[in-house]
Amino acid sequence: ENKSVPFEAIGEGMLHKLIDTFYHLVAQHPDLAPIFPNDLTETARKQKQFLTQYLGGPSLYTQEHGHPMLRARHLPFEITPTRAKAWLACMSEAMDTVGLIGPVREDFYARLNFTAQHMINTPEDVE
Ligand code: HEM
């Protein structure tokens, strides 16, 4: 066990609970729900694989799906600045709910914020 690996500091149990809580919030969010499938089971399963490796755990996502190419995989969806903000708000609320606190949370959230900005592929709608 090596707590300097964020995956190990957080633990698989808390990470999985975080992701399930997150998609529960995504499903209810008016800006996000329209671009996600109705059944988020498979989405959550892939995100558990992805975030495990993102946090320094085993490369579960790559083993099953190959290189993440995250930005390319998001291109079919209109990711606006508003949707990035909504995604991060759901994640922050999920972190609160599962009790993920302290420097591990701050570092994880900062990385997610950086990655979320990189996913933006569509400017805000201008009326
Ligand atoms: C898949 C939206 C940010 C990781 C998806 C899907 C949508 C989406 C609609 C497809 C779901 C499906 O068909 O199952 C968004 C939005 C974001 C965002 C609106 C706001 C910026 C992120 C971030 C990460 C991430 C920051 C990682 C840190 C993933 C992964 C998948 C995924 C791993 C599954 C890819 C696959 O199909 O293999 N996202 N996403 N997303 N997203 Fe995001």
Side-chain angles (χ1 to χ4, degrees), residues 32 35-37 43 46-47 50-51 54 61 70 73-74 77 79 83-84 87 112 115-116 119:
L32 297 175
I35 61 166
F36 279 88
T43 312
K46 286 187 202 164
Q47 190 65 278
F50 179 78
L51 290 178
Y54 186 80
Y61 183 91
L70 266 199
R73 289 192 205 263
H74 285 76
F77 312 101
I79 317 279
R83 288 200 171 116
W87 193 104
L112 291 173
T115 304
M119 292 305 134

Side-chain angles (χ1 to χ4, degrees), residues 70-110:
L70 266 199
R71 195 169 193 285
R73 289 192 205 263
H74 285 76
L75 285 179
F77 312 101
E78 289 188 355
I79 317 279
T80 60
T82 295
R83 288 200 171 116
K85 218 182 251 184
W87 193 104
L88 289 163
C90 289
M91 186 55 79
S92 184
E93 188 179 338
M95 286 175 169
D96 289 343
T97 300
V98 303
L100 181 55
I101 56 168
V104 175
R105 175 199 176 130
E106 300 313 320
D107 291 352
F108 185 18
Y109 186 81

Side-chain angles (χ1 to χ4, degrees), residues 8-38:
E8 295 186 22
I10 294 168
E12 185 183 69
M14 183 182 272
L15 183 65
H16 286 194
K17 205 176 152 205
L18 174 73
I19 293 165
D20 289 334
T21 304
F22 169 73
Y23 283 112
H24 185 76
L25 295 168
V26 165
Q28 296 175 338
H29 198 295
D31 294 325
L32 297 175
I35 61 166
F36 279 88
N38 289 328

